[in-house]
Amino acid sequence: MALQAVRESGALLLLLLLVVLASYSVSTVHGETVQITGLGTVNGSETTTARTQQRVLQFLNIPYAEAPIGPRRFRAPVAIGPWVGVKDVSIEGRPCPQLGITDLLPPLEQTRSENEDCLSLSVFTKNVTERRPVMVYIHGGSFTGGRAADYPPNYLLERDIVLVVLQYRLGALGFLSTMTDVIPGNVAMLDMLMALQWVQDHVSVFGGDPSRVTVFGQSAGSAAISALLYSPLVPPTAFRQAILQSGGSTSAWAVDPNPVDNAREVARFAGCNPAQPIEDVERCLLELPVVMLLRAVQAHTLDRMQDQGHNNVGGSGMVVGGPTNFLPASPFNLLRTGQVRKDVRLMAGVTKHDGSFMMTGIYDSLNAVGLIENRAFNQFDLIDTVNRILGIDENSGTLAGFEVDSLFSQEELASGNFTRLMNGLIDIAGAIVIKAALLRDVQAIAQHSSEPAYLYTFDYRGQHTRFGYGLPTAHYPFSGGVHHSDDNIYLFPYPADVTNLNAADTAMSETMLDLWTSFAINGVPSSSRGIPTWPRVTGPAGPYLHINNPATVGTNFYDEYVISVHTPSAANVLSIVRTP
């Protein structure tokens, strides 16, 4: 009897334990554990919003494609299959291979093929039972850097949206092309398409509405979204709205014009024999340790930038044609023949001094060979040299002539003083690298789409800046002004040294959150925080919104091409040239 009592007592305890566990399991279904239909179960973690401490569920590294390793390196992604058990997605995912991260791993870790297993996305939501608008972020980084972990949700999830941040293959792994099925090129763009299809198929279990998806991105991420507007491979259901921040696909740096020659050059820098048949070159590239491949692309890029300019760099730009046919023609040729999405609502803009980030590398390169102080070079050759590096090698002198007339006084040019020419050079860089290409996309939507386009320039200069991206900047005779990616300071709490916003910057962040999320929620960017009604674009150059304190409406976006030199109000713009 005593033994029977012990058995019954043990059975009762086991039953109670199962009840407790079942109760815990039910509670976590609506908390950190989610069943993804057709794939499996994921277990996430929690964070809170930055200002009101609302609870946010985060699922940080959900795979959307099989590992692109071994023979799958360089090839189109393969959709992830179902898994057994609960997949832990509570911590940040592995970034895609890139210099500054992968090459800093211990030597043995660098050689692991698992480093290339990085095709994941992160989902952030406050309520898995709702159907809220979805914002999908595509990160920038010159198509060679970046990771989902750099774009946390703690600002944007103050509003009622679901945020998805995706990772895609970078550099040679995503863009190198021999124009064959072995290394077709544009596989990073196919990664993005697969991730967007994953959103359509699965975001509803996280509380997102797949019929209300807005894609947004900055710099290279913006250029990628721009290309999605022109590619025939993008289904109309992938997204309904897009936000472009400082990037367009018609920029010289976005497309590789000579992919096969450039692939051979990358192979040469990697120690392969570029003169061999292409099959042998491909075999060598497939077998290279990933860090060696990354360094080869870097060496090729530096070499081409010096001698031929941005428009001749390979291994980190989209290709036209090829086996994937993601772009059947160049983005500009697709644009001017009206082959652009006709049903996309667009919001797009730049930062005021969007070219200052390019001038750091140009300054360092010219300074290294003693040309910064060369008066004759600065008088006669500097502008053409800067144009060439930025991607426009114009032989007649027409472009340089218009630039001189618009941006430099005769006294400045005659001085041969690099610092005195800096404002104009930053405007040249901003227009060539960022502003002109983005305006092309806005014009295409304004002309061909049935939906409106909204255009802006981000003019607010706050306490923090991303000028230098963490590297020393004191030796430059200029500041970054309202620098490339400074707008993201107010949308994402990253990096750590720019997350402590003062009162004015916090107010600007709240305004930015209003504008970005209202566009995602109802298609019209608006804010009650001192923002005037934002008119849609009705002509080739505007109107457009100056995001600043106070905000104003401009009429001619071409004024932004000369904004460092010709400012509408000296009191409204701080000089970006430092006193020698």
Side-chain angles (χ1 to χ4, degrees):
M1 288 292 293
L3 180 60
Q4 180 66 23
V6 169
R7 286 175 175 169
E8 289 178 355
S9 175
L12 180 59
L13 287 172
L14 178 60
L15 179 61
L16 289 172
L17 179 61
L18 291 174
V19 169
V20 170
L21 289 175
S23 174
Y24 175 78
S25 176
V26 169
S27 68
T28 56
V29 166
H30 299 292
E32 299 174 11
T33 301
V34 169
Q35 172 71 38
I36 306 176
T37 305
L39 291 180
T41 303
V42 292
N43 184 64
S45 54
E46 294 183 15
T47 185
T48 59
T49 60
R51 293 166 191 149
T52 60
Q53 284 73 56
Q54 297 177 66
R55 177 173 175 257
V56 175
L57 305 179
Q58 52 183 11
F59 305 86
L60 294 173
N61 59 332
I62 305 173
Y64 64 84
E66 300 289 350
I69 60 178
R72 287 179 177 170
R73 176 190 274 187
F74 303 123
R75 297 204 178 196
V78 176
I80 193 73
W83 55 81
V84 177
V86 179
K87 187 178 290 292
D88 181 12
V89 294
S90 62
I91 59 175
E92 296 171 351
R94 180 188 294 109
C96 286
Q98 56 195 278
L99 293 179
I101 294 181
T102 313
D103 57 321
L104 299 183
L105 295 171
L108 288 178
E109 291 292 309
Q110 293 181 15
T111 62
R112 295 177 58 208
S113 62
E114 287 84 356
N115 289 324
E116 298 178 47
D117 183 9
C118 63
L119 297 184
S120 67
L121 51 80
S122 299
V123 182
F124 306 95
T125 182
K126 291 187 292 190
N127 190 328
V128 298
T129 64
E130 298 285 343
R131 284 181 68 84
R132 291 177 171 169
V134 181
M135 299 185 73
V136 179
Y137 189 76
I138 300 178
H139 69 75
S142 302
F143 290 134
T144 59
R147 55 184 177 177
D150 295 346
Y151 302 93
N154 311 79
Y155 291 171
L156 283 164
L157 265 291
E158 291 284 359
R159 307 298 189 263
D160 290 335
I161 56 103
V162 172
L163 175 66
V164 179
V165 184
L166 62 89
Q167 296 191 153
Y168 55 93
R169 279 172 282 182
L170 302 169
L173 297 174
F175 295 95
L176 194 72
S177 177
T178 57
M179 304 297 275
T180 72
D181 289 331
V182 178
I183 309 180
N186 289 338
V187 294
M189 306 307 299
L190 303 185
D191 294 344
M192 297 175 203
L193 284 179
M194 183 163 286
L196 287 170
Q197 186 58 54
W198 188 99
V199 170
Q200 287 298 307
D201 294 338
H202 304 299
V203 78
S204 60
V205 301
F206 297 93
D209 184 350
S211 69
R212 292 193 291 168
V213 172
T214 299
V215 290
F216 70 124
Q218 187 266 339
S219 195
S222 179
I225 296 169
S226 164
L228 295 176
L229 298 175
Y230 303 106
S231 173
L233 299 188
V234 181
T237 55
F239 57 89
R240 302 294 186 184
Q241 302 185 146
I243 303 175
L244 306 181
Q245 296 175 228
S246 300
S249 59
T250 60
S251 294
W253 54 268
V255 174
D256 180 354
N258 301 297
V260 178
D261 289 345
N262 286 332
R264 288 185 181 275
E265 275 296 287
V266 169
R268 180 175 70 84
F269 280 108
C272 305
N273 183 353
Q276 289 183 322
I278 198 65
E279 296 83 3
D280 295 325
V281 174
E282 291 170 335
R283 189 177 302 111
C284 182
L285 291 169
L286 277 166
E287 294 172 355
L288 282 174
V290 69
V291 171
M292 188 176 294
L293 182 61
L294 296 174
R295 288 174 176 155
V297 171
Q298 182 187 55
H300 160 81
T301 300
L302 293 174
D303 180 71
R304 286 299 174 92
M305 283 284 290
Q306 295 294 327
D307 295 335
Q308 299 182 38
H310 250 310
N311 57 321
N312 287 293
V313 172
S316 56
M318 292 173 282
V319 299
V320 174
T324 69
N325 206 36
F326 174 79
L327 290 172
S330 72
F332 179 64
N333 282 327
L334 293 169
L335 179 155
R336 66 180 174 184
T337 54
Q339 298 181 65
V340 63
R341 282 279 298 270
K342 306 295 195 298
D343 58 349
V344 170
R345 187 171 291 226
L346 184 69
M347 174 176 153
V350 300
T351 66
K352 172 168 281 188
H353 305 115
D354 233 332
S356 59
F357 82 109
M358 287 299 303
M359 290 310 302
T360 57
I362 292 174
Y363 179 89
D364 289 339
S365 297
L366 296 179
N367 195 41
V369 293
L371 290 177
I372 291 295
E373 303 297 331
N374 187 317
R375 183 170 178 266
F377 172 81
N378 291 334
Q379 286 178 315
F380 294 100
D381 300 316
L382 175 61
I383 294 172
D384 279 329
T385 299
V386 168
N387 284 338
R388 175 177 55 77
I389 292 173
L390 297 174
I392 300 180
D393 197 8
E394 199 276 314
N395 297 328
S396 73
T398 304
L399 174 62
F402 277 110
E403 289 171 337
V404 168
D405 188 58
S406 302
L407 298 168
F408 307 99
S409 69
Q410 287 300 309
E411 292 77 15
E412 288 170 339
L413 194 63
S415 75
N417 184 299
F418 188 92
T419 301
R420 291 189 64 183
L421 300 171
M422 180 52 63
N423 275 338
L425 296 176
I426 287 174
D427 279 340
I428 289 174
I432 291 177
V433 176
I434 302 294
K435 296 181 180 183
L438 181 132
L439 183 59
R440 291 283 199 194
D441 291 325
V442 173
Q443 291 169 337
I445 295 298
Q447 182 178 3
H448 298 292
S449 176
S450 60
E451 298 291 337
Y454 298 92
L455 180 61
Y456 72 87
T457 173
F458 182 77
D459 297 346
Y460 178 76
R461 189 167 184 172
Q463 178 184 3
H464 301 290
T465 180
R466 291 182 173 175
F467 181 49
Y469 298 113
L471 297 176
T473 60
H475 64 290
Y476 297 120
F478 56 96
S479 73
V482 185
H483 183 258
H484 187 68
S485 83
D486 275 359
D487 48 346
N488 267 354
I489 290 173
Y490 308 94
L491 297 172
F492 300 100
Y494 180 88
D497 61 344
V498 300
T499 57
N500 184 22
L501 302 184
N502 61 28
D505 290 0
T506 299
M508 176 53 64
S509 176
E510 288 294 308
T511 298
M512 293 281 282
L513 297 179
D514 285 346
L515 294 173
W516 262 243
T517 61
S518 64
F519 180 74
I521 292 168
N522 56 46
V524 179
S526 63
S527 173
S528 60
R529 305 170 197 271
I531 298 294
T533 299
W534 187 343
R536 64 184 290 177
V537 174
T538 56
Y544 64 103
L545 183 70
H546 289 272
I547 301 177
N548 204 345
N549 186 19
T552 58
V553 174
T555 58
N556 183 7
F557 190 77
Y558 289 113
D559 289 341
E560 304 306 314
Y561 290 20
V562 294
I563 196 63
S564 301
V565 174
H566 302 295
T567 59
S569 170
N572 194 39
V573 180
L574 299 176
S575 174
I576 58 176
V577 173
R578 292 173 175 160
T579 302

